[in-house]
Amino acid sequence: MIPSRGTLARRCTGCVVAVIFLMAGFICGVPTLHAQMQKSTVAPSQTPSPSGTGAAAVKKPAQAPKLAPGEKVNINTASKEKLAALPRIGPAKAQAIIAGRPYSKPEDIMKVKGIKKGTYEKIKDLITVQ
């Protein structure tokens, strides 16, 4: 027996709706799945070796040394690493500070490109010129 036109239309409508929902789920789910896969995968060069040593061991990035409590940094003699340990001062600004030496007073550091009053206010109690 051949199905009537109404029955066939209902069946096709149901199939179309089902396909639309599947496609919408696929379209919405793929970016999310891709993002989750990127977060959970580890680059092959970062995979630790079974013994935890060797070339494949995970390496942490080098961090600037921290200042001891109450320690002051002499901006005329300090190393690039010591200057970079100051708040808001990275390697590039530390190099610019070194290039601008000598300084006669701590406020002179504001003559360095990228170091304005806000940065100076953060570091003024941590620097000296003596």
Side-chain angles (χ1 to χ4, degrees):
M1 175 169 197
I2 299 175
S4 67
R5 208 171 247 241
T7 306
L8 186 57
R10 273 184 260 138
R11 284 186 187 170
C12 288
T13 304
C15 290
V16 169
V17 170
V19 169
I20 289 172
F21 277 115
L22 286 172
M23 289 177 64
F26 180 74
I27 290 170
C28 293
V30 169
T32 304
L33 179 62
H34 181 68
Q36 288 175 349
M37 287 175 55
Q38 284 184 331
K39 287 180 186 175
S40 66
T41 57
V42 175
S45 63
Q46 294 179 343
T47 305
S49 62
S51 64
T53 61
V58 177
K59 296 180 181 178
K60 294 182 180 177
Q63 295 179 352
K66 301 236 180 206
L67 298 176
E71 179 182 6
K72 289 200 174 213
V73 176
N74 185 331
I75 59 175
N76 284 323
T77 61
S79 68
K80 182 177 178 180
E81 291 78 20
K82 199 63 142 169
L83 291 167
L86 293 167
R88 296 188 180 178
I89 305 293
K93 286 182 187 174
Q95 187 61 49
I97 292 168
I98 291 169
R101 289 175 178 168
Y103 302 98
S104 58
K105 56 188 178 211
E107 298 85 29
D108 289 346
I109 200 169
M110 288 190 287
K111 294 177 184 175
V112 174
K113 183 178 179 180
I115 301 178
K116 301 293 178 220
K117 188 164 180 79
T119 302
Y120 174 72
E121 289 296 322
K122 288 277 188 184
I123 65 173
K124 70 180 179 182
D125 295 330
L126 302 172
I127 61 173
T128 185
V129 293
Q130 299 182 26

